[in-house]
Amino acid sequence: TFIKDDLETSAINYDKSLGNSGKFLNDNYYIGKRFNWNKEQYAYFMGEVRKNVVMNAKLRNGLIEVLTKLREQGHEIIIITARSNRYYKDPYNMTIEWLKKEQIPYDKLILPSVNKKKDCLKEHIDIFLDDDVNNCLSVNSVGIKTYVMDNVDNYLDDNNIIRVYDFYDFFDKITN
């Protein structure tokens, strides 16, 4: 499963814990609006429930092996994430803790990123991978080779952005 699936399951359970139906009321992009949560309920979900899901997220297939191989080949791995203190008390240390726990190889961590395109340009990124279509479109618009990691809800009709299905697929596509 992907983190999105775990987040949806947690949101349904959280909604039920509030005495609600646990059913989406609409297909809004924002999870709180799907359930019509008030500001406090949404903040609690994003800060507490979501943190638990994020800290226990399952790694995507091939992540460690591919990142290790890329670093061995001399590539720099820069993780750019939007995690901020808007919902998390200490997003930097939370992320560092998770990266260490999962033994994910990387060279630099940038957070919070409010504009991944600007961060990519500043860091002279050559290849960008994300599962958010909007980030991919933005970064690709400045000529950076961009890949989108497949998710059930990230349809993209853009031939300049290559879809990958796991990290092995990503590695094959960037090395061929």
Side-chain angles (χ1 to χ4, degrees):
T1 64
F2 295 120
I3 193 168
K4 180 188 172 300
D5 300 327
D6 294 338
L7 281 170
E8 283 186 1
T9 300
S10 294
I12 289 166
N13 291 335
Y14 174 64
D15 192 61
K16 287 178 180 177
S17 79
L18 297 171
N20 300 324
S21 69
K23 294 186 181 356
F24 293 146
L25 303 175
N26 56 58
D27 62 353
N28 193 291
Y29 177 79
Y30 296 100
I31 194 89
K33 290 184 179 180
R34 288 185 189 178
F35 293 103
N36 201 28
W37 295 332
N38 66 35
K39 194 175 184 178
E40 292 78 27
Q41 293 165 334
Y42 180 69
Y44 181 82
F45 176 80
M46 293 298 288
E48 299 301 323
V49 177
R50 188 170 189 256
K51 178 183 177 187
N52 186 47
V53 172
V54 167
M55 292 300 288
N56 293 296
K58 298 170 192 84
L59 299 181
R60 287 186 184 260
N61 193 25
L63 173 73
I64 305 258
E65 185 179 346
V66 167
L67 292 183
T68 300
K69 199 179 284 188
L70 288 170
R71 284 182 87 204
E72 287 170 355
Q73 292 177 352
H75 300 282
E76 186 178 16
I77 307 299
I78 300 175
I79 298 173
I80 304 172
T81 180
R83 290 180 188 172
S84 71
N85 61 3
R86 179 175 181 190
Y87 299 110
Y88 300 117
K89 291 180 181 117
D90 187 357
Y92 184 81
N93 285 319
M94 177 187 97
T95 304
I96 292 289
E97 178 186 327
W98 182 77
L99 291 167
K100 284 181 183 175
K101 178 182 86 164
E102 299 296 339
Q103 300 178 338
I104 297 173
Y106 70 99
D107 297 291
K108 188 172 187 177
L109 173 64
I110 298 172
L111 77 90
S113 177
V114 294
N115 186 327
K116 289 188 179 185
K117 175 173 70 174
K118 284 184 181 177
D119 290 328
C120 286
L121 289 169
K122 180 180 174 189
E123 296 296 326
H124 307 287
I125 301 289
D126 320 67
I127 296 172
F128 180 78
L129 170 67
D130 205 307
D131 64 356
D132 184 296
V133 169
N134 293 323
N135 288 333
C136 290
L137 290 168
S138 175
V139 169
N140 187 259
S141 74
V142 293
I144 296 171
K145 187 72 175 172
T146 304
Y147 297 81
V148 63
M149 183 64 76
D150 186 62
N151 265 347
V152 69
D153 63 349
N154 70 355
Y155 175 75
L156 177 66
D157 187 21
D158 187 321
N159 293 332
N160 294 319
I161 299 173
I162 301 166
R163 181 168 298 275
V164 295
Y165 297 92
D166 61 25
F167 276 88
Y168 296 120
D169 186 29
F170 174 67
F171 185 79
D172 288 344
K173 287 180 175 157
I174 64 172
T175 57
N176 291 328

